[in-house]
Amino acid sequence: MYKLVLMRHGESQWNLENRFTGWTDVDLTETGRQQAKQAGDLLKENGFEFDLAFASVLKRAIRTLWIALDSMDAMHTPIGLSWRLNERHYGALQGLNKAETAQKYGEDQVLVWRRAYAIAPDPVAEDDPRNPRFDARYARVPADQLPRTECLQDTVARVVPFWDESIAPAIRSGRRVLVTAHGNSLRALIKHLDGISDEDIVHLNIPTGQPLVYELDENLRPIRHYYLGDQEAIAAQMQAVANQGKAQ
Ligand code: DG2
């Protein structure tokens, strides 16, 4: 049996401000840093050790990983970064406040934009500074693969090849792996691992900074999964994520 740990980054500045973030490279808040430290402490207390870690190329995920590894006294752990683990590109919504957007367009529309599997928000324009083609870190990504918006289906399409080509082979070779990424890139990966339907994935919300352990069989099929830590607090955090799209 293999164990894989998935973790959404700690609270970011735009999580705090309730803004659609996507590929915007915002940093962690002080709370987010504490969450990352607590996650590392929890992993250590529970006997977890890692031979390899992966993160997106966004600093909220990278810093979460650094802080967690630091608190585990494991900063020597090799890290692989990939744009394929980035958050879903939120298109023209990036930067907008989620509650204000719900007031303007209605909660149902915001739910569609946040959680519909195959419907993407409007794209950013070609010459919009939010177009990733202006960001040097994506210079070697083929232009036709760089998104200007995404739905979860699009995110699945770029996360799964990374699972198949990088994460899964590492696990099969016996390395113990930690993946630090984002609400929607992890929803994409979990949808693939657990075979969740397009309808049911709508209800999955991932809390910030909480290690999620997957036990996998020899074919890397999930046997069971569980969050480490305070289950009530985690349930409340998941509900809070769901509520972020309410008009209030
Ligand atoms: C959030 C997820 O991404 O938002 O892009 O706004 O995980 O990087 O904080 P993260 C964003 P929701 O889809 O839950 O609204």
Side-chain angles (χ1 to χ4, degrees), residues 221-247:
R221 276 193 289 263
I223 302 164
R224 66 177 188 130
H225 62 262
Y226 53 92
Y227 281 97
L228 294 179
D230 180 343
Q231 301 299 307
E232 258 181 53
I234 290 165
Q237 264 186 281
M238 287 167 150
Q239 190 53 50
V241 174
N243 290 344
Q244 280 167 351
K246 299 234 162 103

Side-chain angles (χ1 to χ4, degrees), residues 8-9 15 21-22 60 87 90 98 114-115 182-184:
R8 184 179 174 193
H9 58 82
N15 293 148
T21 315
R60 58 194 186 276
E87 181 53 305
Y90 249 124
K98 294 176 192 180
R114 293 182 75 211
R115 295 291 179 260
H182 303 265
N184 294 298

Side-chain angles (χ1 to χ4, degrees), residues 4-72:
L4 164 71
V5 178
L6 306 177
M7 183 159 73
R8 184 179 174 193
H9 58 82
E11 180 194 70
S12 75
Q13 186 57 35
W14 281 18
N15 293 148
L16 177 66
E17 295 172 20
N18 201 22
R19 294 163 78 176
F20 289 100
T21 315
W23 283 36
T24 316
D25 198 10
V26 295
D27 212 336
L28 298 180
T29 61
E30 194 45 49
T31 301
R33 288 167 193 246
Q34 281 167 16
Q35 288 174 332
K37 168 147 192 350
Q38 280 161 10
D41 291 345
L42 201 56
L43 285 162
K44 193 171 185 184
E45 276 160 36
N46 283 273
F48 283 85
E49 290 176 24
F50 299 104
D51 306 299
L52 182 60
F54 292 102
S56 71
V57 295
L58 296 170
K59 68 177 74 150
R60 58 194 186 276
I62 299 168
R63 197 179 303 286
T64 298
L65 180 58
W66 287 354
I67 295 171
L69 290 177
D70 190 9
S71 73
M72 297 177 77

Side-chain angles (χ1 to χ4, degrees), residues 2 54 162-174 177 220:
Y2 302 107
F54 292 102
F162 190 71
W163 165 261
D164 287 338
E165 287 157 27
S166 299
I167 304 175
I171 298 170
R172 268 193 213 101
S173 76
V177 172
L220 302 193

